[in-house]
Amino acid sequence: MVLIPSTTSLPHTNPSPDTASSSSTPTPLFGGAITVDLPPNFLDVSDIRQVPSHQEVFLSSTSLSSITLDILEYQTPATISNASNPAAQQQNPTPTTTVNAKAPTSAEPTTEQQDLAALEFHISDIVDLSSNSIMLLPHPLSPAQETPPSPSPIPLPCFPAHTPAYLCSLHTSPHPPPPDAEPLHGGRLQREEELARGVDMWVLLVRLAGWGTDLLVCVNIPLGAEGKEGVEGREEGERWMQRIVQTLEVRDWSLFDGGEETVEGEEE
C-alpha cells in the first residue's frame, strides 16, 4: 500500500483541549482495563449486537460516525511478510527484513520504519484498497509546517515514557468508475457526490512490543454525516482524536495475555 500525500491545502484547526474535554465522557473499555474519553453521544455497539472480544465499537447516535479500538497482534517485518504473501513464505521460510521499497534490502529496517510498516499493514486491513483510494491529510498534532503530511510519532500522556505511538489522518474515497460503466442507482450525479464526500479517518497506533500487542484506535467520519460539510466534519474528528490521545490509558496490563510482567518502557 502506498499512502498518497495530499496535494490540496485543507484548512484545519487546532482544537482547544478545554473544548474537547467539555464534550467528552470517561469511558471504560474491556471491562475497565482501558479507559478513554469519548463523545457522550456515542453508543456502545456491544449493547446492541455481538462485538469481537478484541474490539470495542462506538457509534454516534445522530450519524454514521464511529470510533473503534482494537487489540491486535504486534506486527513485525516477518509477520507482515507472512500475511502479505503466505504462498511465498511456505516456499522460503526465511523472513525478509525489507519493510517497503524504500528500505535497503541488505540492512535491517529501523524501528520507526518497522512501526510505520505496521501502521500501513493495519490500515490496509480496515480499508478495502481494491475499491478505495487513500490520501494523507494534515492533523493538529503533526509537526508544524510538515509538507507533505505523514504519519507522526506522538507522546501519549497516560502511557509510560517512550511508548511508540503514531497518528495519521486519512481521506478514503471510492475509485472512480470506468468511463463505460453503467450508472448506479441515482446515476452519475449521485456517484460524483459519493466521491466528493468519502470518509475521513484518524488512526492512532500504539506499539506494545513487550506485550506482543498493537493497539489501534480509529475515528471514522463519513463527510456530511454530522449534518455538516467538509471542514466542520474534519474539525470534529480532530477534536475527538486529540482527546483520545490525551486520555487513553491502560489500567490493567494483564489484559494483554502472554506479554511481559513489567510495563514496557516503565522507568526504574
Side-chain angles (χ1 to χ4, degrees):
M1 177 182 66
V2 177
L3 298 179
I4 305 172
S6 169
T7 56
T8 305
S9 178
L10 293 168
H12 68 287
T13 60
N14 193 348
S16 164
D18 292 337
T19 301
S21 177
S22 63
S23 59
S24 59
T25 302
T27 304
L29 308 175
F30 303 104
I34 296 176
T35 60
V36 68
D37 284 9
L38 297 179
N41 66 317
F42 273 59
L43 306 178
D44 188 343
V45 171
S46 65
D47 293 336
I48 306 171
R49 61 173 172 81
Q50 188 173 1
V51 173
S53 60
H54 70 276
Q55 186 179 65
E56 294 275 10
V57 181
F58 291 82
L59 292 178
S60 169
S61 60
T62 59
S63 74
L64 297 178
S65 297
S66 64
I67 297 175
T68 63
L69 189 145
D70 289 85
I71 299 176
L72 302 171
E73 177 187 359
Y74 185 87
Q75 294 298 321
T76 66
T79 60
I80 292 173
S81 176
N82 290 346
S84 302
N85 194 358
Q89 186 63 25
Q90 291 177 357
Q91 298 175 2
N92 180 16
T94 303
T96 62
T97 58
T98 303
V99 173
N100 53 46
K102 295 181 180 179
T105 57
S106 60
E108 186 74 17
T110 66
T111 299
E112 183 166 332
Q113 285 177 326
Q114 294 185 46
D115 291 343
L116 293 178
L119 176 61
E120 289 196 0
F121 176 84
H122 290 308
I123 290 173
S124 68
D125 199 40
I126 58 179
V127 177
D128 181 5
L129 299 178
S130 65
S131 58
N132 290 274
S133 299
I134 292 181
M135 180 175 65
L136 278 168
L137 303 177
H139 59 79
L141 300 180
S142 62
Q145 307 301 321
E146 183 182 41
T147 303
S150 64
S152 306
I154 60 168
L156 297 175
C158 299
F159 275 71
H162 311 302
T163 299
Y166 297 83
L167 177 65
C168 67
S169 177
L170 311 170
H171 177 76
T172 68
S173 59
H175 291 318
D180 57 348
E182 292 293 329
L184 299 176
H185 302 298
R188 181 174 299 277
L189 179 59
Q190 179 178 337
R191 183 60 172 167
E192 289 176 352
E193 290 177 350
E194 292 174 357
L195 291 172
R197 290 188 172 185
V199 178
D200 277 354
M201 299 176 60
W202 289 260
V203 182
L204 171 66
L205 173 65
V206 186
R207 301 275 280 165
L208 303 173
W211 300 93
T213 296
D214 283 339
L215 285 181
L216 193 73
V217 184
C218 298
V219 173
N220 309 285
I221 297 188
L223 295 189
E226 301 297 327
K228 306 169 184 176
E229 293 295 335
V231 173
E232 289 183 283
R234 284 191 293 271
E235 290 174 353
E236 195 151 36
E238 288 174 353
R239 184 166 60 250
W240 293 342
M241 179 53 83
Q242 187 172 15
R243 189 60 185 164
I244 289 170
V245 167
Q246 293 169 346
T247 63
L248 183 66
E249 180 178 7
V250 176
R251 298 290 185 91
D252 181 1
W253 290 87
S254 67
L255 173 68
F256 312 120
D257 293 335
E260 297 177 354
E261 294 183 359
T262 56
V263 176
E264 180 195 4
E266 188 172 32
E267 297 180 352
E268 298 181 356

